[in-house]
Amino acid sequence: MFEQLTGRLEDVFRRLRGHGILTEANIKDALREVRRALLEADVHYAVARDLIRSIESRAVGQEVLRSLSPGQQVVRVVHEVLVETLGHTARPLVETGDVPRKILVVGLQGSGKTTFVAKLGHHLRGRKRIPMLAACDLARPAAIDQLETLARQAGLRIHLDRDGKDPVAVAADAVRAARAQASDDLIVDTAGRLHIDEALMDELARVRDAVRPHQTILALDGMVGQDAVAIAETFRDRLGVDGVALTKMDGDARGGAALSVRAATGVPVLFLGTGEKIGGLEVFHPDRLASRILGMGDVLSLVERVQESVDLEKTARLQERLASRQFTLEDFLEQVRQVRRMGPLEEVFRMIPGAGKLLPEGGELDEKALVRVEAIIQSMTPGERQRPEIVNGSRRRRIAGGSGTTVQEVNRLLRDYGMMKRMVQQMTRRGGRKLPRLGRK
């Protein structure tokens, strides 16, 4: 997300840093470019206008113009204004003494609403809570099946009624079921339409009245751009929405919705959804997102993602095997799987400060390369994984055929593995057999 906007802003700031002295004139010239970049990123025109006005009023002040590094000071001002526009600090889900805490999720059809419901359940389960999902979208035939499949994948409770005709009755039953099973949270999926209409709003209002939610979250497609403001305003005014989850932020989203919704409607963004994987959900941190937009990376979110994705017990065992020089293709496969669990490679890569500039031409990493590596290793026999040196020409042809890859790709994997193993052996020889021990969960 934000690749296009980030690239444009980096170009503007690079030119600003080239000036030894900044004047009001060259700051205004730069801000015209910033405004153009914001509009191209689908930021709502009124939000872009207010952003530029706020940045200009601060950037032309004496503190910036007389600074020893005026270009850096302008970047700092832009960062501060972005953080304020995005909402200052992360907003947690509402706390309540009632059990279950009831969360109603609404949105248009195709917004990623049902997937978000499951992702939110997975997110809460990772925080030691016991959530239940409620399938109250009876308008879309596949919605119940989709939510049931996602709930099964994530190991979540779900309430559904395949014979139900009235979503209000199903929602009321879900509340009773969540109480009976002592669930901490009830997350209610609701029907959507391709566009906002009276029938949809009336149904959602009746479901809301039956559930009496502690919080209502609007799932909003991050790719809708400036339309995000109008959609959010309508749901806010008709249903009392008090939080937004931006979905599909790893697709062709240009970031406009993230910058527009909170500033234009006052409704805070709570979550960002990326990818189809159940773990593709992150808490919305305005300061971290502002840093990512400006190409500064997001180390804190990267650390959190590593903590959630990496199995420290397995990593500690791997350290022991490295110390005894027993690193095999089985160990290599486990490391590949842990990297894949962290999410899209490009997204993870961009969290590293300055790493965006190191991306290949076109700004994309080959996500499928890890899939091919995993397929190649899985096509080997246990003996071949333990002793790769026995993999001769005929075995390589068999492995390539079984994994749907080429002999050249098999050769490359074995060569890379051999180089990695030699590097590990050199490190252990230089530093002795003991490696620093990782902490355990």
Side-chain angles (χ1 to χ4, degrees):
M1 66 185 112
F2 306 113
E3 289 87 353
Q4 181 179 341
L5 177 59
T6 298
R8 288 290 303 277
L9 293 180
E10 285 180 340
D11 288 341
V12 173
F13 297 142
R14 191 179 302 112
R15 290 196 294 271
L16 273 180
R17 294 189 190 102
H19 294 286
I21 299 175
L22 287 184
T23 64
E24 290 188 26
N26 53 34
I27 286 178
K28 287 182 179 180
D29 287 341
L31 291 182
R32 274 195 292 271
E33 291 296 317
V34 172
R35 182 177 181 275
R36 187 175 294 116
L38 291 171
L39 292 175
E40 288 177 357
D42 264 346
V43 176
H44 191 272
Y45 71 92
V47 175
R49 178 198 62 207
D50 293 344
L51 263 169
I52 295 303
R53 285 178 179 172
S54 184
I55 294 170
E56 183 177 355
S57 67
R58 302 185 199 187
V60 297
Q62 295 303 308
E63 178 187 350
V64 171
L65 295 181
R66 294 182 179 179
S67 168
L68 293 176
S69 56
Q72 292 286 1
Q73 288 281 41
V74 172
V75 176
R76 177 182 62 81
V77 168
V78 174
H79 184 270
E80 290 175 354
V81 173
L82 283 176
V83 171
E84 292 172 8
T85 302
L86 291 166
H88 293 284
T89 59
R91 295 285 293 271
L93 292 171
V94 65
E95 293 293 337
T96 174
D98 294 341
V99 178
R101 175 174 57 182
K102 293 167 288 186
I103 301 170
L104 185 69
V105 180
V106 299
L108 294 180
Q109 187 174 318
S111 65
K113 173 172 48 62
T114 299
T115 302
F116 167 70
V117 167
K119 286 182 176 182
L120 181 57
H122 177 76
H123 171 82
L124 293 173
R125 186 169 181 262
R127 280 147 184 77
K128 310 303 181 184
R129 296 182 68 85
I130 305 174
M132 173 183 283
L133 313 183
C136 296
D137 181 357
L138 308 184
R140 186 165 62 92
I144 295 177
D145 293 338
Q146 180 186 359
L147 193 61
E148 184 180 30
T149 299
L150 291 170
R152 190 185 306 115
Q153 289 175 0
L156 300 172
R157 296 175 178 176
I158 182 171
H159 175 82
L160 55 85
D161 182 356
R162 295 189 182 281
D163 298 322
K165 303 297 182 185
D166 182 6
V168 176
V170 175
D173 288 343
V175 173
R176 289 189 284 270
R179 285 183 181 141
Q181 297 182 39
S183 296
D184 296 318
D185 303 288
L186 175 67
I187 309 169
V188 182
D189 187 23
T190 59
R193 301 284 193 281
L194 293 176
H195 54 83
I196 297 171
D197 59 24
E198 288 301 317
L200 170 65
M201 288 301 172
D202 288 345
E203 177 180 310
L204 293 178
R206 288 187 288 111
V207 172
R208 177 200 61 195
D209 294 342
V211 173
R212 300 178 66 185
H214 298 100
Q215 191 155 30
T216 301
I217 298 177
L218 170 64
L220 193 60
D221 187 338
M223 293 188 286
V224 298
Q226 295 195 25
D227 289 342
V229 172
I231 295 170
E233 286 177 337
T234 302
F235 274 92
R236 177 201 63 189
D237 296 343
R238 295 292 300 273
L239 296 172
V241 168
D242 47 22
V244 169
L246 291 174
T247 64
K248 306 180 186 179
M249 292 300 291
D250 58 323
D252 296 326
R254 288 178 283 181
L259 282 166
S260 302
V261 169
R262 188 265 171 191
T265 69
V267 179
V269 179
L270 305 180
F271 297 98
L272 292 178
T274 57
E276 292 298 321
K277 292 184 179 178
I278 200 73
L281 187 71
E282 60 183 81
V283 174
F284 183 84
H285 291 273
D287 53 341
R288 301 183 192 180
L289 193 65
S291 295
R292 284 156 76 174
I293 290 172
L294 296 177
M296 299 175 180
D298 183 0
V299 175
L300 290 176
S301 292
L302 178 59
V303 170
E304 289 176 359
R305 188 168 296 198
V306 170
Q307 290 174 336
E308 292 174 358
S309 305
V310 174
D311 187 326
L312 292 183
E313 291 288 345
K314 290 182 178 178
T315 304
R317 287 197 295 272
L318 175 63
Q319 278 196 312
E320 294 171 357
R321 293 179 64 78
L322 289 173
S324 59
R325 304 177 192 174
Q326 294 178 349
F327 185 71
T328 69
L329 279 169
E330 292 278 9
D331 302 314
F332 188 62
L333 177 61
E334 178 55 38
Q335 293 306 294
V336 169
R337 286 172 172 166
Q338 294 212 30
V339 170
R340 289 190 64 199
R341 280 196 290 271
M342 289 177 62
L345 274 182
E346 183 180 333
E347 183 183 319
V348 173
F349 196 70
R350 287 186 182 277
M351 290 182 181
I352 305 170
K357 301 172 185 175
L358 303 177
L359 284 170
E361 193 68 30
E364 294 182 359
L365 292 172
D366 185 4
E367 191 79 29
K368 295 180 180 178
L370 293 181
V371 178
R372 292 194 292 271
V373 167
E374 191 169 346
I376 290 171
I377 298 176
Q378 287 180 318
S379 295
M380 296 179 180
T381 66
E384 289 168 343
R385 296 179 200 176
Q386 294 294 325
R387 298 174 54 221
E389 63 273 11
I390 68 173
V391 181
N392 56 23
S394 61
R395 289 174 185 257
R396 294 182 191 214
R397 287 192 294 273
R398 189 204 78 239
I399 292 167
S403 59
T405 59
T406 65
V407 173
Q408 288 77 14
E409 287 176 300
V410 176
N411 291 340
R412 188 181 307 120
L413 169 62
L414 293 171
R415 184 173 64 249
D416 292 345
Y417 161 75
M419 290 175 59
M420 182 182 295
K421 188 173 183 179
R422 285 193 295 274
M423 287 174 61
V424 169
Q425 290 173 344
Q426 290 171 4
M427 288 169 60
T428 54
R429 276 199 295 268
R430 289 196 194 107
R433 294 177 63 84
K434 287 188 178 180
L435 291 173
R437 187 116 173 128
L438 284 178
R440 295 179 179 269
K441 284 183 180 177

